[in-house]
Amino acid sequence: MTVQKFCRQLQKAISMRHMILAVAALAAVSAFGTVPAVAQDYPFCRKAEAGPGDCRYDTMEQCQAAVSGISGYCQPNFNLAPADQTPSRRRAHRR
C-alpha cells in the first residue's frame, strides 16, 4: 500500500465520520425542535391567599393532595375552555 492510497482511505474514513456526526446532530436538533413551546392548561388549580394560583393538576384529587397540610384550596380552572368547546375567534368589525 502506498502512502497516497493510505491517505485517501484515511480521508474517506474521516469524512464519513463527519457525515455521520452531522446527520446525528441534525436528527437530535430536529427531534427537540418539533415540540411547540406552549403551556398546557390543566383543569384544576391550587389557590392560596395571594397570587394567581397554580393550575397544573389533572384531577381534583391531585390538587387536594397538594394543598393537604398547607393553607390553600382547589378550584376548577376557569380560564380553560370546556373540552367540547374551542375558543372562538371574533372577527374584527370593519367600518
Side-chain angles (χ1 to χ4, degrees):
M1 177 184 285
T2 66
V3 173
Q4 290 176 344
K5 191 174 182 181
F6 176 76
C7 288
R8 273 189 249 130
Q9 287 179 346
L10 184 60
Q11 188 176 17
K12 285 181 184 179
I14 290 173
S15 63
M16 192 65 151
R17 285 185 193 142
H18 285 131
M19 188 181 340
I20 290 170
L21 286 173
V23 169
L26 182 63
V29 169
S30 296
F32 289 116
T34 58
V35 178
V38 176
Q40 182 175 349
D41 290 328
Y42 290 97
F44 297 98
C45 301
R46 178 181 72 186
K47 302 289 272 182
E49 296 297 323
D54 179 16
C55 299
R56 60 177 171 174
Y57 301 99
D58 286 314
T59 65
M60 181 63 88
E61 290 78 19
Q62 287 176 340
C63 181
Q64 289 171 339
V67 298
S68 177
I70 61 171
S71 66
Y73 60 96
C74 296
Q75 70 180 29
N77 184 352
F78 298 115
N79 296 319
L80 184 64
D84 59 341
Q85 295 178 1
T86 56
S88 62
R89 293 186 179 177
R90 291 189 176 184
R91 216 174 185 180
H93 181 68
R94 291 187 178 182
R95 293 181 183 197

